[in-house]
Amino acid sequence: MTLGADLSDNLLGSRMLTEVVRLHGSLLNAPLPLDLPGVDALRVGREHIIEQLEDYIIPRLTEIDAPLLVVVGGSTGAGKSTLVNTLVGSRVTVPGLLRPTTRSPVLVHHPDDGRWFGADRLLPELARVHQATTDQFAIQLVPSTAVPRGLAILDAPDVDSVDERNRELAAQLLAAADLWLFVTSAARYSDQVPWEHLKNAVDRNTAVALVLSRTPAEDVATVSVHLARMMAARGLKDSPLFAVPQGTVSEEGLLPASYATEINGWLAALAADAAARRDVVNQTVAGAVRTVTRKAFPIADAVAQQVEAVAELLAIADRVYDDAQAALLAAGADGTLLRGDLLARWQEFVGSGELTRTLEAKVGFVRERLVNAIKGKPQQAERVGVAIEMALEALVADHAERAAATAAAAWRERTYGDALLTSTTDDLARAGRGLRSQAEKEIRAWHEELQELVKQEAGDARHSARFLALGARGLAVTLGVVALAGPGAGGAAAESVRLGRTLLESTIGTAGATRVVDQARGTLARRLTTLMGAERARYLAPAARWELKPDAPDQLRQAARRVDDLRFAAAKKGTGGHL
């Protein structure tokens, strides 16, 4: 055995199975969804090694003593089905000139070995049937006493079939084999496609035997010598080579039994020798494991690139929304909103002209004159409240729309970013559909909170003439305007804001006014941050849907290293410490 690996050791085999299952899980948790350069080939490679684990390595490690699976594969028209029938001594698979002939694989096994080939074991995705079928997603099981115990023969579709599914199935079945019985002919032995498959077998260290079939008897020696040279040049010099000369095929699809005597004898000897079977299995499994772990590392690197690409996209979105959130909070506290309809409604409410004249009077009269100016204006307070809500809602929507458009434009500069945008039904270039209704709820809740603030701060003063004259609603809208104005309101709003501050101080005191204004600004900032955070989260959703975990690359690398370390330990054990 080339690798000298011993995976039949119970402890070592159990550990290997555990780590291989973990490797399988790590591969499933390492998708490659983004269309980065070179990703297509890696996606195919990832699917292939997942299939190899599911179809062969895990089932074989689970049942290391299961019968040796010999897959008969090869070129179109090489006579695979005829050979299988001849080996078994009866028609179990259909040969013929019509191509493709074999669509559904046929697995022939000894009746006592049937339990090894259930749907929960080898090739689990293929349905099991017991009658002839053309279903390319099923495998026909045929019990036959002509096949020795400990060995099974599987007739596979052509590796170069005109049918794509047949080609895929042939490759899948060969990857699930313990031993290839690869059939070619004098007419096809130089074809490129079969040798590409044989190269894969060499790379994986799969056990292989070649059969030269359908060759005129007088040409067998010459062609065999040439084929043997080709095998030696391609790493198959130690693989057996059998010759089955061209002969008359019976109506049952069999050649004369003597044509298969040498192959049958070799297979029977293999079936009877448990140690030889174990060596073949160990060689092929160890080679498959080595191939899987070797291919896992480039996939891990590709996943890391995917993680970095998504992180870059999310960082772009974060920067955009950080800027948008900062601008929104600033606009909600620097007097930006005190203009237009809101300013007009507020000035109507405080009667700015009259209050300006009042402020020019003696200080002792200011508070009473302010209260008198406000009496009887609950409707005007309501209008101010509505104007505040509308201004804040428009402010939130405007910043959210601009942030979404900016982030989407930045993502579209990258192909994979554009793909991520189009992968979701949510139009990320616009603000969220539910933003306005959510903003309305948050801002109304803020107004209700302002009323509670002034009530709590007023305490016993809630029953004073000043408080009753202004009312909780009037003080709340006053608090809202002062909070929105910020510390340095200027222009047309400056005087009326100063009047609002005086109103608050006249009712709840200077210290109380300072406290509630700070609290009002703080709670508004939290609510605006919540709204913008929900908008930001929309950009997290498509990336989260790809399930690209930041630790996936390292998990995959570590899993591959653990499996490879165990393979190395098995190889060392199998060679007595001499690798």
Side-chain angles (χ1 to χ4, degrees):
M1 184 181 66
T2 304
L3 284 184
D6 184 4
L7 297 171
S8 59
D9 177 272
N10 288 337
L11 179 59
L12 193 57
S14 177
R15 288 175 59 197
M16 176 66 85
L17 176 59
T18 298
E19 295 303 335
V20 161
V21 169
R22 287 177 178 168
L23 174 60
H24 177 258
S26 296
L27 282 162
L28 292 179
N29 290 328
L32 298 168
L34 301 184
D35 292 327
L36 299 179
V39 74
D40 289 341
L42 287 163
R43 284 172 180 160
V44 172
R46 175 178 172 273
E47 290 303 316
H48 282 172
I49 65 175
I50 288 174
E51 286 179 359
Q52 177 82 130
L53 288 165
E54 294 175 348
D55 291 347
Y56 179 64
I57 295 175
I58 292 175
R60 174 47 84 185
L61 287 173
T62 302
E63 303 289 357
I64 199 72
D65 294 323
L68 189 75
L69 180 63
V70 180
V71 173
V72 181
S75 309
T76 300
K80 298 183 300 299
S81 297
T82 300
L83 177 62
V84 171
N85 289 338
T86 304
L87 290 170
V88 176
S90 63
R91 182 171 179 158
V92 292
T93 183
V94 182
L97 297 176
L98 182 64
R99 300 296 166 198
T101 300
T102 303
R103 290 181 178 273
S104 177
V106 178
L107 191 153
V108 191
H109 60 85
H110 190 279
D112 294 342
D113 286 340
R115 67 186 183 89
W116 297 106
F117 302 107
D120 59 336
R121 298 174 188 266
L122 182 79
L123 300 161
E125 70 177 28
L126 296 180
R128 269 51 175 175
V129 298
H130 297 278
Q131 66 284 335
T133 179
T134 58
D135 184 354
Q136 294 171 298
F137 294 91
I139 183 169
Q140 180 188 355
L141 300 182
V142 179
S144 172
T145 54
V147 177
R149 289 193 63 181
L151 183 143
I153 300 173
L154 191 153
D155 183 23
D158 303 329
V159 295
D160 53 359
S161 173
V162 296
D163 185 294
E164 182 180 3
R165 171 57 186 163
N166 268 6
R167 296 195 302 273
E168 293 174 351
L169 186 56
Q172 182 182 9
L173 295 172
L174 287 169
D178 295 310
L179 169 65
W180 290 17
L181 196 59
F182 205 83
V183 186
T184 187
S185 66
R188 308 301 301 270
Y189 76 95
S190 294
D191 288 358
Q192 180 180 355
V193 172
W195 283 107
E196 288 175 354
H197 283 273
L198 289 168
K199 181 181 184 300
N200 290 336
V202 172
D203 291 343
R204 290 201 296 257
N205 204 46
T206 302
V208 177
L210 265 75
V211 178
L212 177 62
S213 180
R214 290 189 173 171
T215 302
E218 63 273 17
D219 296 333
V220 167
T222 301
V223 176
S224 294
V225 169
H226 189 206
L227 179 55
R229 288 174 180 167
M230 294 180 70
M231 291 170 60
R234 290 164 172 79
L236 293 167
K237 65 182 180 64
D238 295 326
S239 297
L241 172 59
F242 302 99
V244 178
Q246 190 169 8
T248 302
V249 179
S250 71
E251 292 183 1
E252 290 299 307
L254 284 72
L255 288 166
S258 60
Y259 282 42
T261 299
E262 187 179 8
I263 301 174
N264 257 332
W266 180 69
L267 291 176
L270 193 57
D273 188 340
R277 290 202 315 274
R278 185 167 58 247
D279 283 350
V280 170
V281 169
N282 284 341
Q283 174 184 338
T284 302
V285 172
V289 167
R290 183 189 63 179
T291 300
V292 164
T293 54
R294 187 179 70 242
K295 291 183 176 180
F297 290 103
I299 292 171
D301 293 341
V303 175
Q305 291 177 354
Q306 299 254 324
V307 170
E308 290 171 4
V310 170
E312 179 190 17
L313 291 176
L314 294 180
I316 290 170
D318 277 339
R319 286 195 296 271
V320 170
Y321 279 93
D322 282 345
D323 292 345
Q325 181 174 301
L328 175 62
L329 296 181
D334 65 1
T336 297
L337 293 181
L338 288 182
R339 58 191 177 191
D341 186 61
L342 173 54
L343 180 58
R345 296 299 181 189
W346 168 244
Q347 288 178 338
E348 287 176 7
F349 176 63
V350 297
S352 60
E354 180 182 349
L355 290 178
T356 300
R357 290 189 294 273
T358 302
L359 285 171
E360 293 171 352
K362 295 179 180 179
V363 175
F365 295 100
V366 170
R367 293 180 180 174
E368 293 304 325
R369 295 292 300 276
L370 282 171
V371 172
N372 290 336
I374 297 301
K375 281 184 178 180
K377 293 189 177 182
Q379 290 183 343
Q380 290 180 350
E382 192 64 35
R383 292 191 194 106
V384 176
V386 171
I388 290 174
E389 292 174 7
M390 292 178 64
L392 279 171
E393 289 168 20
L395 185 72
V396 170
D398 178 61
H399 282 74
E401 288 286 356
R402 281 188 286 171
T406 302
W411 276 29
R412 286 198 177 103
E413 291 176 359
R414 296 154 179 80
T415 303
Y416 52 88
D418 187 55
L420 213 56
L421 286 173
T422 57
S423 71
T424 176
T425 56
D426 190 1
D427 184 2
L428 295 181
R430 299 291 308 275
R433 287 187 289 268
L435 174 65
R436 288 188 177 273
S437 61
Q438 192 59 38
E440 182 180 345
K441 291 178 184 177
E442 288 289 346
I443 294 162
R444 285 186 178 176
W446 181 60
H447 261 155
E448 292 171 3
E449 195 169 12
L450 296 186
Q451 293 186 58
E452 291 302 315
L453 284 176
V454 294
K455 286 179 183 178
Q456 292 172 10
E457 191 60 47
D460 293 340
R462 289 171 58 185
H463 303 292
S464 68
R466 294 188 183 91
F467 190 93
L468 293 174
L470 292 165
R473 181 62 168 165
L475 282 171
V477 298
T478 301
L479 174 56
V481 168
V482 174
L484 293 175
E495 187 63 26
S496 58
V497 170
R498 188 158 61 88
L499 294 175
R501 179 78 185 209
T502 304
L503 276 175
L504 290 175
E505 292 176 352
S506 70
T507 308
I508 57 177
T510 301
T514 298
R515 278 193 297 271
V516 294
V517 169
D518 289 342
Q519 289 174 322
R521 287 173 182 157
T523 189
L524 176 61
R526 286 193 296 274
R527 293 183 183 278
L528 295 180
T529 298
T530 297
L531 290 169
M532 195 57 74
E535 288 296 293
R536 181 197 305 255
R538 294 169 59 231
Y539 269 82
L540 297 175
R545 190 163 51 253
W546 291 126
E547 298 181 348
L548 273 170
K549 300 178 177 64
D551 63 344
D554 285 340
Q555 293 291 336
L556 179 53
R557 291 189 190 100
Q558 291 168 13
R561 287 192 189 100
R562 288 194 298 268
V563 171
D564 205 45
D565 286 346
L566 285 172
R567 181 191 65 81
F568 185 84
K572 188 174 182 179
K573 185 177 188 299
T575 57
H578 302 288
L579 291 178

